[in-house]
Amino acid sequence: MATFLYKLGRLAFRRRHFVALIWVALLTLAGVGAASAPPAGSTSFSIPGTEAQKAFDLLEERFPGQSADGATARVVFKAPDGEKMTDAAHRATVEKTVGELADGSEVASVADPYKADAVSKDGTIAYASVRYDVSGMELEESTKDALEDAAQQARDAGLTVEVGGDALQAVPHTGATEIIGIAVAAVVLVITFGSLVAAGLPLLTALIGVGIGVSTITALASALELGSTTSILAMMIGLAVGIDYALFIVSRYRAELAEGREREEAAGRAVGTAGSAVVFAGLTVVIALVGLAVVNIPMLTKMGVAAAGTVAIAVLIALTMIPALLGYAGRKVKPAGEKGKLLGGARAAGKNEGKPAKANLGTRWASFVVRRPVAVLLLGVVGLGAAAVPATSLELGLPDDGSQPTSTTQRRAYDLLSEGFGPGFNGPLMVVTDAKGSDDPQAAFTEVTDEIKGLKGVVAVTPPAPNKTGDTATITVIPDSKPSSVQTEDLVHAIRDAGADVKSATGAEVLVTGSTAMNIDVSQKLNDALVPYLVLVVGLAFLLLIVVFRSILVPLKAALGFLLSVLAALGAVVAVFQWGWLSGLMGVEETGPVMSMMPIFMVGVVFGLAMDYEVFLVTRMREAYVHGESPSQAVVTGFKHGARVVTAAAVIMMAVFAGFIGSSESMVKMIGFGLAIAVFFDAFVVRMAIVPAVLALLGKKAWWLPRWLDRALPNVDVEGEGLRAQGDPDEKRELVRT
């Protein structure tokens, strides 16, 4: 592989105009596609294999024309202190508002609070339910404006009015912190390279790669039903890995220049060596992201595939566009150890002339770890173990309006409904009774209603509402607990257990659905898929790393270190988003259960990123070892050449991920924080401390591989041994001038 990538790097360097033209053309094509594509429509949230989804599909079949997936809104009214919603003036205001809402072209139905018994017992709060023909993402702006205008007119009449539901859902934004993250990355690159031009190359290529990836996602959003969160996550991961992959190749290029190689040769060798590591690191990330398909949740699968596509683009750009841009930069990219004039390179060179080179920080740290491996190993493991303790109280759920910031009208409507009708009113359960196989459907409906009324935790049960053919009915159940509580989850399971008894007695099938039941089923599905997903992703990556490192213990150590990182990161997420530690600093206005898909998504992404640092750092160590250095000295050599770059890459990745903490979307905020803290734990504790300590303790055993397996495995030559064997192809080597 190293030889092929070496030739590719040299070709891209020589044919830089052609390479640059191809990538610019792709960016333009993707941009035009995104601009001309129809707006993203409904993002169907289907969960195959769950009872809630089965009931939802049954509703669409047996109750045609009711727009089961249409947007909903609850317009909540509250009377001023000392007054009631039943007062004549307030009643007239509400009826006028209901009439205005019913005139909307996309409105399917509006329920008058006074006719639908939607006034609280104390008479202070009432609500009007609005159903639309299309989903929240498909609603026209004029429809949303009409909803807000109607609410404002009722406010002007003296009522407190808030709007809940998904009709007013907005496309999430990331805020200014994303720009701050990129700015921090730029500063780190300048410090690392000591050159504005060299620092600009990774940023430029990462932005081009993300531009192509996100524009392609936008262009395909309508056809593939991709949500807005998909493009945000693709941008987050694409930016981080795009900068890092380019950083490693540019760093290796500068190291090759420092050895006196001609620039084209240096570009070829940089792509042949660091590029090989980029390919395998990218493969681990792609495997982890595409592996999310095993969960069998279409939305999660689409997110993983879209992000994996952006990572693949980042790898291709690093292998081709970086050497092309290095050709354009020419002498403006200095050899390693030299800085540009703007950063005082000439003055520093003059001061240090004639003095012996001082060991860098990476060398000094690695030497310390090699001398004290047991102490460093224990400290690292205990520290990560302590950070992981909060994960033992992990509670999972999916966000609803109750997790929104208190500044939003959706959250205020949620609180008003809880105040007037009880916390369970925000998460009603829909029980669907399929009596097609029953001899007496009406008796079956009555039996189901009576069974549910006798369950603990039920506040109200509506009478059965049968369809036109009379073989299916819906029953609405109001719990006495909030949607995300354990008590509500227990009630859902109790109704399903009671439904099994009803089926054996009457032949009618009882199914529970609704957003609350759907969330519970999603959480359970994600929990059940976590272990198979771990086995698949870690197993495939383990095999891949055996090929890369030609060792059994090094990949095993890498996988165990990853588990420590992800558990510690989950502990930090629980501490902030569930317990509320530092919640004000992170902009978390409402604590609660951790998002259900957070553990499995973190496992996938963090594993891929963790293997990035493992590949980049340990390949340098193996390169030194196979060229004759002792195991301990190979660890020091690996840190000498790789620690500064890996540190810069980790800081950049943390800055990019942390930039998404400012998102208005709670899911994006939580993932941004979780990935940032996971990179910190993995890069600075696991890869920088635990890994060298373990390798120092193992010695030569770390690189042991059974002979039969060594013969069976393909030789991918990540270390570039083939390049050393063939020597420089150019007989004349141009000495690099500054």
Side-chain angles (χ1 to χ4, degrees):
M1 174 177 285
T3 304
F4 168 76
L5 293 178
Y6 163 79
K7 294 177 180 177
L8 178 64
R10 291 191 58 143
L11 179 65
F13 188 95
R14 287 196 308 271
R15 300 287 185 262
R16 45 187 172 272
H17 303 308
F18 181 69
V19 172
L21 182 62
I22 288 177
W23 285 112
V24 171
L26 288 175
L27 178 61
T28 304
L29 185 64
V32 171
S36 59
S42 172
T43 53
S44 57
F45 188 73
S46 61
I47 314 295
T50 61
E51 180 175 314
Q53 184 64 45
K54 183 179 178 182
F56 188 84
D57 295 339
L58 186 67
L59 283 174
E60 289 195 325
E61 177 189 340
R62 304 285 175 85
F63 292 82
Q66 288 199 5
S67 301
D69 60 345
T72 60
R74 275 179 171 174
V75 184
V76 188
F77 307 89
K78 182 177 182 180
D81 292 342
E83 302 178 22
K84 294 184 180 296
M85 290 304 304
T86 51
D87 295 348
H90 298 329
R91 184 165 184 157
T93 299
V94 172
E95 289 176 344
K96 180 182 178 183
T97 303
V98 169
E100 291 176 351
L101 290 172
D103 291 337
S105 60
E106 294 180 309
V107 175
S109 64
V110 181
D112 187 318
Y114 303 102
K115 296 178 182 178
D117 193 24
V119 181
S120 63
K121 290 181 179 179
D122 61 6
T124 61
I125 297 174
Y127 70 91
S129 295
V130 186
R131 293 191 64 84
Y132 295 90
D133 293 322
V134 296
S135 69
M137 295 301 292
E138 292 176 304
L139 281 177
E140 294 181 1
E141 286 302 318
S142 58
T143 302
K144 295 182 180 181
D145 292 341
L147 177 59
E148 292 176 330
D149 291 344
Q152 186 57 49
Q153 290 179 20
R155 292 189 190 103
D156 295 340
L159 297 176
T160 298
V161 185
E162 304 296 345
V163 182
D166 60 352
L168 292 181
Q169 67 179 344
V171 176
H173 61 272
T174 54
T177 50
E178 177 192 346
I179 306 300
I180 296 174
I182 296 176
V184 171
V187 172
V188 173
L189 286 169
V190 171
I191 294 173
T192 302
F193 290 138
S195 165
L196 293 177
V197 174
L201 296 182
L203 280 176
L204 176 61
T205 54
L207 291 173
I208 291 174
V210 167
I212 294 173
V214 173
S215 296
T216 303
I217 291 170
T218 305
L220 299 175
S222 178
L224 301 181
E225 296 184 351
L226 303 177
S228 55
T229 306
T230 303
S231 59
I232 291 178
L233 294 176
M235 181 191 304
M236 180 193 302
I237 297 171
L239 266 178
V241 300
I243 294 174
D244 276 10
Y245 293 165
L247 166 65
F248 283 108
I249 291 180
V250 174
S251 298
R252 188 59 181 255
Y253 171 76
R254 297 177 71 234
E256 296 292 337
L257 290 181
E259 294 183 11
R261 289 194 171 86
E262 179 266 336
R263 293 186 181 276
E264 181 181 323
E265 175 69 11
R269 286 178 175 266
V271 175
T273 51
S276 298
V278 165
V279 169
F280 282 99
L283 272 176
T284 58
V285 180
V286 168
I287 287 172
L289 291 170
V290 174
L292 291 170
V294 303
V295 184
N296 196 26
I297 295 180
M299 185 189 75
L300 194 59
T301 300
K302 291 173 184 176
M303 287 168 54
V305 171
T310 308
V311 171
I313 292 172
V315 171
L316 292 174
I317 282 185
L319 297 178
T320 57
M321 194 169 187
I322 280 293
L325 293 180
L326 289 172
Y328 282 117
R331 302 184 190 282
K332 293 180 181 178
V333 176
K334 307 293 181 181
E338 296 186 20
K339 296 182 179 181
K341 294 180 180 178
L342 182 62
L343 299 176
R347 293 190 299 273
K351 290 181 181 179
N352 295 327
E353 191 174 349
K355 295 182 180 179
K358 183 181 179 182
N360 61 22
L361 183 60
T363 303
R364 298 198 298 273
W365 168 251
S367 300
F368 170 77
V369 174
V370 168
R371 290 196 305 270
R372 301 283 188 271
V374 176
V376 172
L377 178 61
L378 288 177
L379 187 61
V381 172
V382 170
L384 290 178
V389 168
T392 57
S393 62
L394 175 68
E395 295 177 10
L396 298 176
L398 286 177
D400 54 21
D401 284 349
S403 62
Q404 296 260 22
T406 53
S407 58
T408 63
T409 186
Q410 290 93 334
R411 171 59 189 277
R412 293 196 292 264
Y414 180 98
D415 291 340
L416 283 177
L417 288 172
S418 296
E419 177 188 336
F421 301 92
F425 196 80
N426 283 293
L429 305 175
M430 181 175 286
V431 179
V432 182
T433 305
D434 180 7
K436 205 167 189 177
S438 175
D439 297 332
D440 188 350
Q442 190 58 48
F445 299 154
T446 303
E447 176 75 13
V448 173
T449 304
D450 293 341
E451 285 283 344
I452 294 174
K453 285 181 178 178
L455 296 176
K456 180 182 177 181
V458 176
V459 172
V461 181
T462 64
N467 61 350
K468 290 181 180 180
T469 57
D471 60 3
T472 308
T474 59
I475 302 169
T476 301
V477 181
I478 306 297
D480 67 358
S481 52
K482 64 181 183 178
S484 59
S485 66
V486 176
Q487 292 86 347
T488 301
E489 183 177 349
D490 292 340
L491 176 60
V492 170
H493 293 311
I495 294 174
R496 288 171 174 170
D497 291 341
D501 298 333
V502 171
K503 184 174 183 179
S504 61
T506 66
E509 185 175 12
V510 179
L511 305 170
V512 185
T513 189
S515 60
T516 301
M518 187 73 83
N519 290 351
I520 291 170
D521 286 353
V522 169
S523 298
Q524 186 61 49
K525 193 176 182 71
L526 288 165
N527 286 341
D528 294 343
L530 185 57
V531 173
Y533 176 71
L534 263 175
V535 172
L536 172 69
V537 172
V538 176
L540 286 175
F542 181 77
L543 295 175
L544 189 65
L545 292 179
I546 289 178
V547 174
V548 174
F549 295 128
R550 309 195 76 78
S551 163
I552 298 292
L553 295 180
V554 170
L556 180 62
K557 172 257 320 167
L560 293 176
F562 148 74
L563 290 176
L564 280 174
S565 301
V566 80
L567 286 174
L570 275 177
V573 169
V574 170
V576 173
F577 291 88
Q578 188 176 310
W579 293 359
W581 293 5
L582 301 177
S583 57
L585 181 64
M586 298 297 167
V588 180
E589 296 190 22
E590 186 70 21
T591 59
V594 173
M595 188 176 52
S596 297
M597 63 179 66
M598 189 68 188
I600 200 164
F601 192 84
M602 277 190 64
V603 164
V605 177
V606 174
F607 183 79
L609 300 180
M611 294 307 102
D612 278 4
Y613 300 121
E614 181 75 12
V615 170
F616 290 132
L617 195 59
V618 180
T619 47
R620 275 288 196 169
M621 298 179 189
R622 174 165 176 77
E623 187 176 342
Y625 176 74
V626 298
H627 291 140
E629 293 188 7
S630 67
S632 297
Q633 185 57 41
V635 170
V636 176
T637 301
F639 268 76
K640 175 183 177 182
H641 294 294
R644 178 183 175 89
V645 179
V646 169
T647 300
V651 172
I652 288 169
M653 198 170 278
M654 288 167 55
V656 172
F657 288 147
F660 288 84
I661 295 175
S663 173
S664 62
E665 178 72 35
S666 59
M667 173 180 171
V668 176
K669 181 190 292 286
M670 191 179 294
I671 289 177
F673 171 79
L675 294 183
I677 198 71
V679 169
F680 172 77
F681 287 143
D682 195 85
F684 294 107
V685 181
V686 174
R687 309 303 153 189
M688 291 290 186
I690 294 178
V691 165
V694 171
L695 290 177
L697 289 172
L698 290 175
K700 290 184 178 180
K701 295 177 183 177
W703 307 107
W704 171 79
L705 186 70
R707 290 184 179 178
W708 64 268
L709 185 57
D710 187 38
R711 290 192 298 268
L713 291 177
N715 182 15
V716 295
D717 190 18
V718 177
E719 300 86 14
E721 184 63 27
L723 302 184
R724 287 178 177 265
Q726 73 181 30
D728 289 348
D730 299 320
E731 294 181 4
K732 295 182 179 179
R733 178 181 295 176
E734 175 192 328
L735 213 55
V736 177
R737 303 186 185 89
T738 59

